[in-house]
Structures are given as structure tokens and as C-alpha cells.
Amino acid sequence: AQTVTQSQPEMSVQEAETVTLSCTYDTSENNYYLFWYKQPPSRQMILVIRQEAYKQQNATENRFSVNFQKAAKSFSLKISDSQLGDTAMYFCAFMHSGSARQLTFGSGTQLTVLP
Amino acid sequence: GAGVSQTPSNKVTEKGKYVELRCDPISGHTALYWYRQSLGQGPEFLIYFQGTGAADDSGLPNDRFFAVRPEGSVSTLKIQRTERGDSAVYLCASSDSSYNEQFFGPGTRLTVL
């Protein structure tokens, strides 16, 4: 079974600064996908960024980028130029590339952006 | 276009009662997922539908939980003889089977008194 670990329950960052959220996972699979989701108080889970394990290049979406270290099974999220609207719970998630398409989530990191 | 919708937004019930939670996926999405999110935790997988059939129900905690998707669109999660431990936010997600992103609904917060 896959496990996803987020060791930082809470983090804070000053507006316009950069912050990195950590995530590690455990799997015996070689092909899989990794995701970061954002969940604001509205409960709506929003996809921030995704990474295919077969791609060596780290994914980037505007201010959001990942550091994917496959051998170390590490998948951190970097948020640059933090904005007040980035305040939310962030979840790291894992998905098989095969027929089992459910997401396995970590326990989340509550990020607060301070003005 | 419209996203995933879930009704009701909140549901309060008494221990032992039966509840139904509804999910309307994005039109045309063949895959539908149910997750349960307890307070302070990440969502946990319950069941996955591909079309009308349950492709994987390994996450259902016990036989009090059941889900259907009779026409391959709307899905209903049914919980019998509710217990206080069933209190959680129940999230639904849908995806196009040819792409891996799951689009989530706003969830139903279930409170069992």
C-alpha cells in the first residue's frame, strides 16, 4: 500500500516571500502520478500542480513549482511570491498509473500567508 | 461549464438513522470517486465508479456503506445505521477517463449526533 507523509502540520510565510512544503511517499511502483491540492475553508479541493513520475523535469505552474526526487521519494512544493489568497490547507497526493485511479492523500499542511 | 455539485451541503442526523448523499459529476465524466475526510486529516478513498459499475469499492469501511450510479452520471452514497464515527466531510470527484485530473465537489458535511 502507498503512504504519503507531510511532516509539517502548519507553516506560515510573509506575503511576497517564498515557502516550501514537504512531502514524502512510499511505493513499490515505478509509474505513478503525484499531485498537490489546495483546500481553502470553502472545502473545495483545487488542483495546484501535477507530476508524472516518468518525467525528470520538475513541473511548474506560474508561481508554483515542485522539486521531484524520485530516488528519495520526495515531492516538495515551492510557492514563490506568496499571496494572501494562497492561505489554505495543502495536500500532497499519489496515484497509480494503472487501473487503480484513487488518490492517496497526506495529512496536509496548513499554510498561512501573513500580510 | 458547471463543476461537480454535491447535495446537501450539510446534513445533521441522529445515531442509527439512514442518510443519502448525492453527487452530480461534470457532464461527460465517466469516472466518479467518493472520499471521506475526517477533521484534520486528508481525504480517504471510499469507492470508484467507471460508468455504472463500481470498479473498486475497497475503501468502504463496512457493509453499512453503499454507493450506486445507476445511469453512469449521478451517484448516491448511502449510509445505514449511522454512527457518531461516520461524522466527516464526504467528497465526490469526477474525471475524464482519458486524463488523470480529478475535479472535486464542495463536499457534504455529515454530523451524526
Side-chain angles (χ1 to χ4, degrees), chain A residues 33 35 37 39 42-47 50 89 91 95-97 99-108, chain B residues 9-10 33 35 37 40-43 45 48 56 58 89 91 97 99-102 104-109:
Chain A
Y33 300 89
F35 304 83
Y37 278 89
Q39 188 179 42
S42 66
R43 298 197 307 244
Q44 187 85 45
M45 197 75 82
I46 302 164
L47 179 66
R50 66 194 292 262
M89 186 72 103
F91 291 97
M95 180 198 288
H96 281 293
S97 64
S99 59
R101 294 301 185 94
Q102 64 266 35
L103 291 162
T104 300
F105 287 87
S107 56
Chain B
S9 178
N10 292 281
Y33 306 80
Y35 295 86
Q37 186 175 19
Q41 299 186 18
F45 168 75
Y48 156 50
D56 184 352
S58 62
V89 173
L91 295 169
S97 61
Y99 185 61
N100 296 299
E101 178 176 355
Q102 293 183 22
F104 282 81
T108 293
R109 182 180 298 282

Short mmCIF file of all heavy atoms in Angstrom, two decimals, chain A residues 33 35 37 39 42-47 50 89 91 95-97 99-108, chain B residues 9-10 33 35 37 40-43 45 48 56 58 89 91 97 99-102 104-109:
data_model
loop_
_atom_site.label_atom_id
_atom_site.label_comp_id
_atom_site.label_asym_id
_atom_site.label_seq_id
_atom_site.Cartn_x
_atom_site.Cartn_y
_atom_site.Cartn_z
N TYR A 33 1.66 9.03 -10.51
CA TYR A 33 1.49 10.48 -10.60
C TYR A 33 1.48 11.05 -9.18
O TYR A 33 1.01 10.41 -8.24
CB TYR A 33 0.17 10.82 -11.28
CG TYR A 33 0.05 10.29 -12.69
CD1 TYR A 33 -0.47 9.02 -12.92
CD2 TYR A 33 0.45 11.05 -13.78
CE1 TYR A 33 -0.57 8.50 -14.20
CE2 TYR A 33 0.33 10.55 -15.07
CZ TYR A 33 -0.17 9.28 -15.27
OH TYR A 33 -0.28 8.77 -16.54
N PHE A 35 0.53 14.76 -7.00
CA PHE A 35 -0.27 15.97 -7.09
C PHE A 35 -0.11 16.80 -5.81
O PHE A 35 0.12 16.26 -4.73
CB PHE A 35 -1.76 15.64 -7.23
CG PHE A 35 -2.11 14.75 -8.39
CD1 PHE A 35 -1.99 13.37 -8.27
CD2 PHE A 35 -2.58 15.28 -9.57
CE1 PHE A 35 -2.31 12.54 -9.33
CE2 PHE A 35 -2.91 14.46 -10.63
CZ PHE A 35 -2.78 13.08 -10.52
N TYR A 37 -2.76 19.45 -3.99
CA TYR A 37 -4.09 20.05 -3.98
C TYR A 37 -4.13 21.11 -2.89
O TYR A 37 -3.51 20.99 -1.84
CB TYR A 37 -5.16 19.00 -3.70
CG TYR A 37 -5.60 18.19 -4.89
CD1 TYR A 37 -4.94 17.01 -5.22
CD2 TYR A 37 -6.67 18.59 -5.67
CE1 TYR A 37 -5.35 16.25 -6.32
CE2 TYR A 37 -7.09 17.83 -6.76
CZ TYR A 37 -6.42 16.67 -7.08
OH TYR A 37 -6.83 15.92 -8.16
N GLN A 39 -6.86 23.24 -0.44
CA GLN A 39 -8.21 23.22 0.09
C GLN A 39 -8.44 24.43 0.99
O GLN A 39 -8.04 24.44 2.15
CB GLN A 39 -8.49 21.92 0.86
CG GLN A 39 -9.94 21.76 1.28
CD GLN A 39 -10.21 20.46 2.02
OE1 GLN A 39 -9.43 20.05 2.88
NE2 GLN A 39 -11.31 19.79 1.69
N SER A 42 -13.55 26.89 2.11
CA SER A 42 -14.76 26.51 1.38
C SER A 42 -14.86 25.00 1.14
O SER A 42 -15.90 24.50 0.70
CB SER A 42 -14.79 27.22 0.02
OG SER A 42 -13.73 26.73 -0.81
N ARG A 43 -13.82 24.26 1.45
CA ARG A 43 -13.72 22.79 1.31
C ARG A 43 -13.45 22.33 -0.12
O ARG A 43 -13.19 21.16 -0.33
CB ARG A 43 -14.99 22.06 1.80
CG ARG A 43 -15.32 22.24 3.24
CD ARG A 43 -16.30 21.17 3.71
NE ARG A 43 -17.49 21.07 2.90
CZ ARG A 43 -18.73 21.32 3.34
NH1 ARG A 43 -18.89 21.76 4.56
NH2 ARG A 43 -19.77 21.17 2.56
N GLN A 44 -13.52 23.24 -1.08
CA GLN A 44 -13.31 22.84 -2.47
C GLN A 44 -11.85 22.47 -2.69
O GLN A 44 -10.96 23.29 -2.55
CB GLN A 44 -13.68 24.00 -3.39
CG GLN A 44 -13.65 23.66 -4.85
CD GLN A 44 -14.96 23.03 -5.30
OE1 GLN A 44 -16.03 23.50 -4.95
NE2 GLN A 44 -14.88 21.97 -6.08
N MET A 45 -11.60 21.25 -3.09
CA MET A 45 -10.25 20.77 -3.35
C MET A 45 -9.85 21.22 -4.75
O MET A 45 -10.53 20.88 -5.73
CB MET A 45 -10.23 19.25 -3.23
CG MET A 45 -8.86 18.64 -3.06
SD MET A 45 -8.17 18.85 -1.44
CE MET A 45 -8.96 17.53 -0.58
N ILE A 46 -8.76 21.95 -4.86
CA ILE A 46 -8.34 22.53 -6.14
C ILE A 46 -6.96 22.01 -6.50
O ILE A 46 -6.03 22.09 -5.68
CB ILE A 46 -8.30 24.07 -6.05
CG1 ILE A 46 -9.68 24.62 -5.64
CG2 ILE A 46 -7.84 24.69 -7.36
CD1 ILE A 46 -9.64 26.04 -5.15
N LEU A 47 -6.81 21.51 -7.71
CA LEU A 47 -5.50 21.02 -8.15
C LEU A 47 -4.56 22.19 -8.36
O LEU A 47 -4.88 23.15 -9.06
CB LEU A 47 -5.64 20.22 -9.44
CG LEU A 47 -4.33 19.68 -10.01
CD1 LEU A 47 -3.73 18.65 -9.07
CD2 LEU A 47 -4.55 19.08 -11.39
N ARG A 50 0.68 18.96 -10.96
CA ARG A 50 0.83 17.52 -11.05
C ARG A 50 2.17 17.17 -11.69
O ARG A 50 2.71 17.95 -12.46
CB ARG A 50 -0.31 16.91 -11.85
CG ARG A 50 -0.31 17.32 -13.31
CD ARG A 50 -1.64 16.97 -13.96
NE ARG A 50 -1.86 15.54 -14.07
CZ ARG A 50 -1.63 14.84 -15.16
NH1 ARG A 50 -1.14 15.41 -16.23
NH2 ARG A 50 -1.90 13.55 -15.20
N MET A 89 -5.23 24.87 3.26
CA MET A 89 -4.62 23.58 3.57
C MET A 89 -4.11 23.01 2.26
O MET A 89 -4.82 23.04 1.25
CB MET A 89 -5.65 22.66 4.19
CG MET A 89 -5.09 21.35 4.68
SD MET A 89 -4.09 21.53 6.16
CE MET A 89 -5.23 20.93 7.37
N PHE A 91 -2.54 19.62 0.34
CA PHE A 91 -2.41 18.17 0.43
C PHE A 91 -1.56 17.65 -0.72
O PHE A 91 -1.77 18.01 -1.88
CB PHE A 91 -3.78 17.49 0.36
CG PHE A 91 -4.65 17.73 1.56
CD1 PHE A 91 -5.61 18.73 1.55
CD2 PHE A 91 -4.49 16.96 2.70
CE1 PHE A 91 -6.41 18.95 2.65
CE2 PHE A 91 -5.29 17.16 3.81
CZ PHE A 91 -6.26 18.17 3.78
N MET A 95 -1.08 8.80 -7.03
CA MET A 95 -1.99 7.98 -7.81
C MET A 95 -1.20 6.99 -8.67
O MET A 95 -0.22 7.35 -9.30
CB MET A 95 -2.85 8.84 -8.74
CG MET A 95 -3.82 8.02 -9.59
SD MET A 95 -4.44 8.93 -11.03
CE MET A 95 -5.52 10.10 -10.23
N HIS A 96 -1.66 5.74 -8.69
CA HIS A 96 -1.09 4.74 -9.59
C HIS A 96 -1.31 5.18 -11.04
O HIS A 96 -2.26 5.88 -11.35
CB HIS A 96 -1.82 3.41 -9.43
CG HIS A 96 -1.39 2.62 -8.24
ND1 HIS A 96 -0.14 2.07 -8.13
CD2 HIS A 96 -2.06 2.30 -7.12
CE1 HIS A 96 -0.07 1.44 -6.99
NE2 HIS A 96 -1.21 1.55 -6.35
N SER A 97 -0.51 4.70 -11.93
CA SER A 97 -0.73 4.96 -13.35
C SER A 97 -1.57 3.87 -13.99
O SER A 97 -1.97 4.00 -15.14
CB SER A 97 0.61 5.06 -14.09
OG SER A 97 1.28 3.83 -14.03
N SER A 99 -4.84 0.80 -13.41
CA SER A 99 -6.29 0.87 -13.33
C SER A 99 -6.78 1.41 -11.99
O SER A 99 -7.91 1.88 -11.88
CB SER A 99 -6.89 -0.52 -13.56
OG SER A 99 -6.39 -1.42 -12.59
N ALA A 100 -5.97 1.32 -10.96
CA ALA A 100 -6.37 1.82 -9.64
C ALA A 100 -6.16 3.32 -9.61
O ALA A 100 -5.06 3.79 -9.39
CB ALA A 100 -5.56 1.13 -8.55
N ARG A 101 -7.23 4.09 -9.80
CA ARG A 101 -7.09 5.52 -10.00
C ARG A 101 -7.38 6.36 -8.77
O ARG A 101 -7.47 7.56 -8.87
CB ARG A 101 -8.02 5.95 -11.15
CG ARG A 101 -7.61 5.38 -12.51
CD ARG A 101 -6.20 5.81 -12.89
NE ARG A 101 -5.83 5.39 -14.22
CZ ARG A 101 -5.97 6.14 -15.29
NH1 ARG A 101 -6.51 7.33 -15.19
NH2 ARG A 101 -5.58 5.69 -16.46
N GLN A 102 -7.55 5.74 -7.63
CA GLN A 102 -7.87 6.57 -6.47
C GLN A 102 -6.63 7.30 -5.99
O GLN A 102 -5.51 6.84 -6.17
CB GLN A 102 -8.45 5.73 -5.32
CG GLN A 102 -7.50 4.70 -4.73
CD GLN A 102 -7.70 3.35 -5.39
OE1 GLN A 102 -8.00 3.27 -6.57
NE2 GLN A 102 -7.52 2.30 -4.61
N LEU A 103 -6.85 8.46 -5.39
CA LEU A 103 -5.79 9.26 -4.81
C LEU A 103 -5.55 8.84 -3.37
O LEU A 103 -6.48 8.59 -2.62
CB LEU A 103 -6.17 10.74 -4.85
CG LEU A 103 -6.22 11.38 -6.24
CD1 LEU A 103 -7.02 12.67 -6.20
CD2 LEU A 103 -4.81 11.65 -6.75
N THR A 104 -4.28 8.78 -3.00
CA THR A 104 -3.88 8.60 -1.60
C THR A 104 -3.30 9.92 -1.13
O THR A 104 -2.32 10.41 -1.70
CB THR A 104 -2.85 7.48 -1.45
OG1 THR A 104 -3.41 6.26 -1.93
CG2 THR A 104 -2.46 7.31 0.01
N PHE A 105 -3.91 10.50 -0.10
CA PHE A 105 -3.53 11.83 0.36
C PHE A 105 -2.65 11.76 1.61
O PHE A 105 -2.76 10.84 2.43
CB PHE A 105 -4.77 12.64 0.71
CG PHE A 105 -5.57 13.12 -0.47
CD1 PHE A 105 -6.56 12.31 -1.02
CD2 PHE A 105 -5.35 14.36 -1.02
CE1 PHE A 105 -7.31 12.73 -2.10
CE2 PHE A 105 -6.10 14.80 -2.11
CZ PHE A 105 -7.09 13.99 -2.64
N GLY A 106 -1.84 12.80 1.77
CA GLY A 106 -1.17 13.02 3.05
C GLY A 106 -2.12 13.71 4.01
O GLY A 106 -3.28 13.99 3.68
N SER A 107 -1.61 14.02 5.19
CA SER A 107 -2.45 14.60 6.24
C SER A 107 -2.58 16.11 6.13
O SER A 107 -3.35 16.72 6.86
CB SER A 107 -1.90 14.24 7.62
OG SER A 107 -0.55 14.66 7.73
N GLY A 108 -1.83 16.71 5.22
CA GLY A 108 -1.99 18.13 4.94
C GLY A 108 -1.07 19.05 5.71
O GLY A 108 -0.56 18.71 6.78
N SER B 9 -25.36 20.31 1.32
CA SER B 9 -24.08 20.86 1.74
C SER B 9 -23.75 20.40 3.15
O SER B 9 -22.59 20.11 3.47
CB SER B 9 -24.13 22.39 1.68
OG SER B 9 -22.92 22.94 2.13
N ASN B 10 -24.78 20.37 3.99
CA ASN B 10 -24.62 19.91 5.36
C ASN B 10 -25.79 18.99 5.71
O ASN B 10 -26.91 19.22 5.27
CB ASN B 10 -24.61 21.09 6.35
CG ASN B 10 -23.37 21.94 6.20
OD1 ASN B 10 -22.30 21.60 6.67
ND2 ASN B 10 -23.50 23.06 5.51
N TYR B 33 -15.56 9.30 -8.05
CA TYR B 33 -14.92 8.84 -6.83
C TYR B 33 -15.64 9.42 -5.62
O TYR B 33 -16.08 10.57 -5.65
CB TYR B 33 -13.46 9.30 -6.77
CG TYR B 33 -12.64 8.93 -7.97
CD1 TYR B 33 -12.71 9.67 -9.14
CD2 TYR B 33 -11.76 7.85 -7.93
CE1 TYR B 33 -11.95 9.33 -10.25
CE2 TYR B 33 -10.99 7.51 -9.02
CZ TYR B 33 -11.09 8.25 -10.18
OH TYR B 33 -10.33 7.91 -11.27
N TYR B 35 -14.74 10.11 -1.48
CA TYR B 35 -13.72 10.14 -0.44
C TYR B 35 -14.38 10.62 0.86
O TYR B 35 -15.39 11.33 0.84
CB TYR B 35 -12.60 11.14 -0.78
CG TYR B 35 -11.77 10.78 -1.99
CD1 TYR B 35 -12.18 11.16 -3.27
CD2 TYR B 35 -10.58 10.08 -1.87
CE1 TYR B 35 -11.42 10.85 -4.39
CE2 TYR B 35 -9.80 9.76 -2.98
CZ TYR B 35 -10.23 10.14 -4.23
OH TYR B 35 -9.48 9.82 -5.34
N GLN B 37 -13.36 12.66 4.45
CA GLN B 37 -12.34 13.46 5.10
C GLN B 37 -12.75 13.75 6.53
O GLN B 37 -13.67 14.53 6.78
CB GLN B 37 -12.11 14.78 4.33
CG GLN B 37 -10.96 15.61 4.87
CD GLN B 37 -10.69 16.84 4.03
OE1 GLN B 37 -11.54 17.31 3.27
NE2 GLN B 37 -9.49 17.40 4.15
N GLY B 40 -9.22 17.38 10.34
CA GLY B 40 -7.78 17.47 10.49
C GLY B 40 -6.98 16.44 9.70
O GLY B 40 -5.77 16.32 9.90
N GLN B 41 -7.64 15.73 8.80
CA GLN B 41 -6.95 14.71 8.04
C GLN B 41 -7.15 14.90 6.54
O GLN B 41 -7.99 15.69 6.11
CB GLN B 41 -7.46 13.33 8.44
CG GLN B 41 -7.22 12.99 9.90
CD GLN B 41 -7.60 11.57 10.23
OE1 GLN B 41 -7.73 10.74 9.34
NE2 GLN B 41 -7.77 11.29 11.50
N GLY B 42 -6.38 14.17 5.76
CA GLY B 42 -6.58 14.18 4.32
C GLY B 42 -7.72 13.26 3.93
O GLY B 42 -8.10 12.38 4.69
N PRO B 43 -8.27 13.47 2.75
CA PRO B 43 -9.36 12.60 2.29
C PRO B 43 -8.89 11.15 2.16
O PRO B 43 -7.74 10.89 1.79
CB PRO B 43 -9.71 13.18 0.91
CG PRO B 43 -9.22 14.60 0.96
CD PRO B 43 -7.99 14.56 1.81
N PHE B 45 -9.97 7.42 0.37
CA PHE B 45 -10.75 6.82 -0.70
C PHE B 45 -11.81 5.87 -0.16
O PHE B 45 -11.56 5.07 0.75
CB PHE B 45 -9.80 6.06 -1.63
CG PHE B 45 -10.48 5.17 -2.62
CD1 PHE B 45 -11.11 5.71 -3.72
CD2 PHE B 45 -10.47 3.79 -2.45
CE1 PHE B 45 -11.72 4.87 -4.64
CE2 PHE B 45 -11.09 2.96 -3.36
CZ PHE B 45 -11.72 3.50 -4.46
N TYR B 48 -14.83 3.85 -6.24
CA TYR B 48 -14.57 4.41 -7.56
C TYR B 48 -15.49 3.73 -8.57
O TYR B 48 -15.58 2.51 -8.61
CB TYR B 48 -13.10 4.17 -7.90
CG TYR B 48 -12.69 4.13 -9.36
CD1 TYR B 48 -13.07 5.14 -10.23
CD2 TYR B 48 -11.88 3.10 -9.83
CE1 TYR B 48 -12.67 5.10 -11.57
CE2 TYR B 48 -11.48 3.05 -11.16
CZ TYR B 48 -11.87 4.05 -12.03
OH TYR B 48 -11.47 4.02 -13.34
N ASP B 56 -13.90 -0.26 -8.01
CA ASP B 56 -13.10 -0.51 -6.81
C ASP B 56 -13.87 0.02 -5.61
O ASP B 56 -14.06 1.23 -5.52
CB ASP B 56 -11.73 0.16 -6.93
CG ASP B 56 -10.80 -0.15 -5.76
OD1 ASP B 56 -11.26 -0.76 -4.76
OD2 ASP B 56 -9.62 0.24 -5.83
N SER B 58 -12.94 -0.98 -2.43
CA SER B 58 -12.10 -1.46 -1.32
C SER B 58 -12.00 -0.49 -0.16
O SER B 58 -11.59 -0.87 0.93
CB SER B 58 -10.70 -1.77 -1.85
OG SER B 58 -10.08 -0.60 -2.35
N VAL B 89 -16.55 15.02 6.39
CA VAL B 89 -16.93 15.62 5.11
C VAL B 89 -16.77 14.55 4.03
O VAL B 89 -15.72 13.90 3.94
CB VAL B 89 -16.05 16.84 4.78
CG1 VAL B 89 -16.33 17.35 3.36
CG2 VAL B 89 -16.27 17.95 5.80
N LEU B 91 -16.50 13.82 0.21
CA LEU B 91 -16.15 14.49 -1.03
C LEU B 91 -16.38 13.57 -2.23
O LEU B 91 -16.12 12.38 -2.16
CB LEU B 91 -14.66 14.88 -1.00
CG LEU B 91 -14.24 15.92 0.03
CD1 LEU B 91 -12.72 15.99 0.12
CD2 LEU B 91 -14.80 17.28 -0.29
N SER B 97 -11.89 9.75 -18.20
CA SER B 97 -11.01 8.59 -18.07
C SER B 97 -9.74 8.72 -18.87
O SER B 97 -8.78 8.00 -18.62
CB SER B 97 -11.75 7.31 -18.47
OG SER B 97 -12.14 7.38 -19.83
N TYR B 99 -7.87 11.36 -18.92
CA TYR B 99 -7.00 12.35 -18.29
C TYR B 99 -7.04 12.12 -16.81
O TYR B 99 -8.03 11.68 -16.27
CB TYR B 99 -7.47 13.77 -18.64
CG TYR B 99 -6.57 14.88 -18.15
CD1 TYR B 99 -5.25 14.97 -18.59
CD2 TYR B 99 -7.04 15.83 -17.27
CE1 TYR B 99 -4.43 15.97 -18.14
CE2 TYR B 99 -6.22 16.84 -16.82
CZ TYR B 99 -4.92 16.92 -17.25
OH TYR B 99 -4.10 17.91 -16.82
N ASN B 100 -5.97 12.41 -16.10
CA ASN B 100 -5.89 11.98 -14.72
C ASN B 100 -6.35 12.96 -13.68
O ASN B 100 -6.38 12.62 -12.51
CB ASN B 100 -4.46 11.55 -14.42
CG ASN B 100 -4.06 10.35 -15.25
OD1 ASN B 100 -4.66 9.30 -15.13
ND2 ASN B 100 -3.07 10.51 -16.10
N GLU B 101 -6.67 14.19 -14.05
CA GLU B 101 -7.07 15.14 -13.02
C GLU B 101 -8.45 14.80 -12.51
O GLU B 101 -9.38 14.57 -13.29
CB GLU B 101 -7.06 16.57 -13.55
CG GLU B 101 -7.52 17.59 -12.51
CD GLU B 101 -7.44 19.02 -12.99
OE1 GLU B 101 -6.95 19.25 -14.10
OE2 GLU B 101 -7.89 19.91 -12.22
N GLN B 102 -8.61 14.78 -11.20
CA GLN B 102 -9.91 14.61 -10.57
C GLN B 102 -10.41 15.97 -10.14
O GLN B 102 -9.71 16.72 -9.46
CB GLN B 102 -9.81 13.66 -9.37
CG GLN B 102 -9.48 12.24 -9.79
CD GLN B 102 -9.44 11.27 -8.63
OE1 GLN B 102 -10.03 11.52 -7.57
NE2 GLN B 102 -8.76 10.15 -8.82
N PHE B 104 -13.02 18.01 -7.91
CA PHE B 104 -13.76 17.75 -6.67
C PHE B 104 -14.97 18.66 -6.52
O PHE B 104 -14.97 19.82 -6.95
CB PHE B 104 -12.84 17.96 -5.47
CG PHE B 104 -11.91 16.81 -5.23
CD1 PHE B 104 -10.73 16.68 -5.96
CD2 PHE B 104 -12.20 15.84 -4.28
CE1 PHE B 104 -9.87 15.62 -5.75
CE2 PHE B 104 -11.34 14.77 -4.06
CZ PHE B 104 -10.18 14.66 -4.80
N GLY B 105 -15.97 18.13 -5.85
CA GLY B 105 -17.10 18.93 -5.41
C GLY B 105 -16.80 19.58 -4.07
O GLY B 105 -15.75 19.32 -3.47
N PRO B 106 -17.73 20.40 -3.57
CA PRO B 106 -17.51 21.11 -2.30
C PRO B 106 -17.73 20.24 -1.07
O PRO B 106 -17.46 20.67 0.05
CB PRO B 106 -18.54 22.24 -2.36
CG PRO B 106 -19.63 21.68 -3.22
CD PRO B 106 -18.97 20.80 -4.23
N GLY B 107 -18.22 19.04 -1.27
CA GLY B 107 -18.40 18.12 -0.15
C GLY B 107 -19.72 18.28 0.58
O GLY B 107 -20.40 19.30 0.48
N THR B 108 -20.07 17.23 1.30
CA THR B 108 -21.20 17.25 2.23
C THR B 108 -20.65 17.01 3.63
O THR B 108 -19.97 16.00 3.86
CB THR B 108 -22.23 16.15 1.90
OG1 THR B 108 -22.84 16.42 0.65
CG2 THR B 108 -23.29 16.06 3.00
N ARG B 109 -20.93 17.93 4.53
CA ARG B 109 -20.51 17.72 5.92
C ARG B 109 -21.61 16.96 6.65
O ARG B 109 -22.73 17.47 6.80
CB ARG B 109 -20.25 19.05 6.63
CG ARG B 109 -19.77 18.85 8.08
CD ARG B 109 -19.52 20.18 8.78
NE ARG B 109 -18.47 20.95 8.13
CZ ARG B 109 -17.17 20.73 8.26
NH1 ARG B 109 -16.75 19.74 9.05
NH2 ARG B 109 -16.29 21.50 7.64
#
